[in-house]
Amino acid sequence: MDRIHIRGGNRLTGTIPISGAKNAALPLMAASLLTQGTLRLSNLPNLVDISTMANLLSQHGVSLEMNGNATGGHTGRVFSLNAGTITSTVTPYNLVRTMRASILVLGPLLAREGKAQVSLPGGCAIGTRPVDLHLQGLEQLGAEIELEEGYIRACVKGRLKGTHIVMPIVSVGATENLLMAACLAEGTTIISNAAREPEVSDLANCLVAMGAKIGGAGSDTLTITGVTSLKGASHEVVSDRIETGTYAMAAAITGGDITLTGGRLDLIESTAKTLIRAGVDITPIDGGLRVCRKSDRIEEVDVMTEPFPGFPTDLQAQIMAMVACTKGASMITETIFENRFMHVPELCRMGANIHVHGASAIIRGVEGLTGAQVMATDLRASVSLVLAGLAAEGETVIDRVYHLDRGYERLEEKLAACGADISRIRK
Ligand code: UD1
């Protein structure tokens, strides 16, 4: 397994191109199942999860042509996906188990083919993460659903039927699945308490370009008037707000000054407010954002994760690393996922002073962090260890970096270009 070596202490300066958002790209790729036409997606990040989704879709009969730039910056890759004929409505366990977002094919397959059999996602390191909201919503749209031998078996006679779905809690994935399914349902569907994440809006915009009738994108109430078919379209994936936030924190933790090309302030407003309170400057500039730290030391901040537009859970681990060296104490409360503090023991091994009480962590600032050998446990936890390593004295070695490859495109290259002493040791 590959490892990442970091020698900390370098102040980062320079430019980092922000890639297209993985969490937008995955549902957008699944949306190709809704049409016989060709869906052309640009600005796709070059990541393991994207390849996993491509494999999964090709197994359903989707033909995929890659004709974009595979390596260069925020212009990203271009995929043309065509689901002219769906050859299989079964999504096997070996694909779903590596990526929970595989569940996003359930709504489109069911809406288009009237049946789908998708393996239940397995347990996940950051909590139990059930799919009950996806299934309940599809049942409300008229699907019959059975759970058998680890599979979700869903079918519907004729078309799904529009209805009013009130989501009991905000779920990004369930909103996306139901939104896609409702596009081909008969009549009107209203989704109340829908997720407002930019990735949901990006999906809605693409579906509209494909001929769907969707009102309220970006709000917590989506109104979808079903159509009998959708057509092909071209769509550019929105920039990755989590990658933007992560590199903004890399600038902050190293006292650096970085330009994030393609970064958008409107996608990270709550994060930007938190960073400003911590003494970090974020300024929109032509084509991106400039981030630099004003103060000698990062100032303590309290953070609570919330659905968008609140502070994202996917930046919780990173901000914890960032506030490890303040003068005072910070409190971070995680409200979205239980068990999402697995980075805490690793950060403590690097000298951080963190205590977890239920859903909250108290971080008492220390003078400095020290390099150590640490273990990545999930995607965002691993990148928090990278941030800590950039600021720490001495060498940090991060194991299990395959987690990082699921969500950060060319991480070492982007950081090294700004002066970080970081390298990958391939095994
Ligand atoms: C998506 C993101 C993930 C992010 C999360 C929250 C993708 C591919 N992943 O994950 O990076 O951390 O949003 O912003 O976009 N829940 C249920 N029942 C369900 C579905 C969810 O109880 O059927 C719960 C979850 O356990 C969690 C909460 O709802 O506590 C929010 O999860 P959800 O928004 O669905 O996360 P994902 O879509 O899986």
Side-chain angles (χ1 to χ4, degrees):
M1 270 185 280
D2 291 0
R3 288 170 161 192
I4 285 189
H5 281 230
I6 302 169
R7 186 158 290 280
N10 293 2
R11 179 174 177 265
L12 299 192
T13 54
T15 299
I16 294 183
I18 299 301
S19 301
K22 165 183 88 77
N23 286 355
L26 295 172
L28 286 166
M29 290 171 76
S32 68
L33 290 165
L34 289 166
T35 174
Q36 288 185 322
T38 298
L39 181 60
R40 185 176 176 278
L41 297 174
S42 56
N43 199 31
L44 282 162
N46 184 2
L47 297 169
V48 171
D49 273 10
I50 300 298
S51 311
T52 306
M53 184 57 100
N55 288 339
L56 190 153
L57 292 173
S58 65
Q59 173 290 133
H60 288 296
V62 178
S63 69
L64 191 146
E65 217 178 281
M66 193 177 83
N67 45 16
N69 180 359
T71 54
H74 70 285
T75 49
R77 287 172 147 189
V78 182
F79 279 1
S80 292
L81 302 130
N82 183 280
T85 311
I86 291 177
T87 52
S88 163
T89 53
V90 180
T91 315
Y93 177 62
N94 64 345
L95 288 168
V96 178
R97 106 190 134 81
T98 58
M99 188 181 66
R100 183 183 149 81
S102 312
I103 189 78
L104 292 169
V105 301
L106 179 63
L109 282 175
L110 181 64
R112 170 129 171 241
E113 297 292 293
K115 59 178 181 172
Q117 187 178 325
V118 179
S119 171
L120 275 166
C124 171
I126 63 170
T128 48
R129 298 181 90 181
V131 291
D132 54 327
L133 302 174
H134 301 241
L135 305 187
Q136 280 164 23
L138 291 172
E139 279 178 337
Q140 284 180 264
L141 287 167
E144 282 177 28
I145 295 184
E146 285 176 6
L147 300 181
E148 263 175 23
E149 297 161 353
Y151 276 83
I152 302 158
R153 289 182 217 271
C155 64
V156 59
K157 289 190 191 77
R159 288 169 70 191
L160 293 166
K161 302 256 179 319
T163 187
H164 186 186
I165 301 168
V166 181
M167 307 294 294
I169 55 169
V170 178
S171 162
V172 176
T175 302
E176 291 166 343
N177 231 337
L178 299 174
L179 171 63
M180 289 190 277
C183 286
L184 291 181
E186 208 179 318
T188 299
T189 301
I190 297 171
I191 306 176
S192 298
N193 200 24
R196 286 182 282 166
E197 269 65 5
E199 295 76 24
V200 179
S201 309
D202 202 38
L203 173 64
N205 293 340
C206 176
L207 292 168
V208 168
M210 292 165 73
K213 295 192 173 140
I214 300 168
S219 79
D220 65 356
T221 307
L222 297 172
T223 306
I224 308 113
T225 307
V227 294
T228 48
S229 66
L230 294 174
K231 56 183 192 314
S234 290
H235 180 82
E236 184 181 324
V237 179
V238 68
S239 83
D240 194 323
R241 64 195 168 98
I242 305 302
E243 193 191 26
T244 305
T246 301
Y247 290 128
M249 291 179 205
I253 202 168
T254 63
D257 186 345
I258 297 184
T259 296
L260 301 169
T261 320
R264 279 174 45 184
L265 194 59
D266 60 317
L267 302 179
I268 60 155
E269 271 180 10
S270 62
T271 306
K273 277 186 193 148
T274 308
L275 289 175
I276 290 164
R277 273 192 283 129
V280 181
D281 243 358
I282 301 198
T283 330
I285 52 164
D286 193 23
L289 296 171
R290 182 178 165 198
V291 186
C292 64
R293 192 170 92 201
K294 288 182 295 194
S295 49
D296 275 358
R297 244 171 127 166
I298 288 170
E299 283 154 40
E300 57 277 9
V301 278
D302 291 345
V303 176
M304 186 186 292
T305 66
E306 282 169 317
F308 192 84
F311 190 93
T313 173
D314 285 352
L315 285 172
Q316 180 259 107
Q318 296 89 315
I319 195 124
M320 194 177 294
M322 197 192 90
V323 295
C325 297
T326 58
K327 274 194 197 128
S330 307
M331 182 160 87
I332 298 184
T333 304
E334 170 61 55
T335 72
I336 310 290
F337 293 111
E338 78 268 32
N339 200 18
R340 205 175 196 181
F341 283 135
M342 281 172 307
H343 40 285
V344 169
E346 301 302 300
L347 290 173
C348 289
R349 295 187 57 248
M350 297 177 74
N353 179 353
I354 307 172
H355 291 274
V356 174
H357 304 273
S360 294
I362 304 284
I363 303 100
R364 294 191 174 86
V366 292
E367 266 310 307
L369 297 173
T370 48
Q373 186 160 354
V374 288
M375 185 93 83
T377 50
D378 70 59
L379 171 56
R380 308 304 171 184
S382 20
V383 88
S384 78
L385 302 177
V386 172
L387 296 186
L390 291 172
E393 199 187 320
E395 194 185 35
T396 296
V397 180
I398 303 172
D399 257 327
R400 297 198 187 168
V401 296
Y402 55 84
H403 290 294
L404 284 172
D405 296 335
R406 291 189 46 214
Y408 288 91
E409 180 179 309
R410 298 180 291 116
L411 175 101
E412 315 92 86
E413 205 184 298
K414 290 186 184 188
L415 288 170
C418 290
D421 185 346
I422 180 168
S423 58
R424 178 182 292 242
I425 310 297
R426 296 192 189 272
K427 284 210 174 164

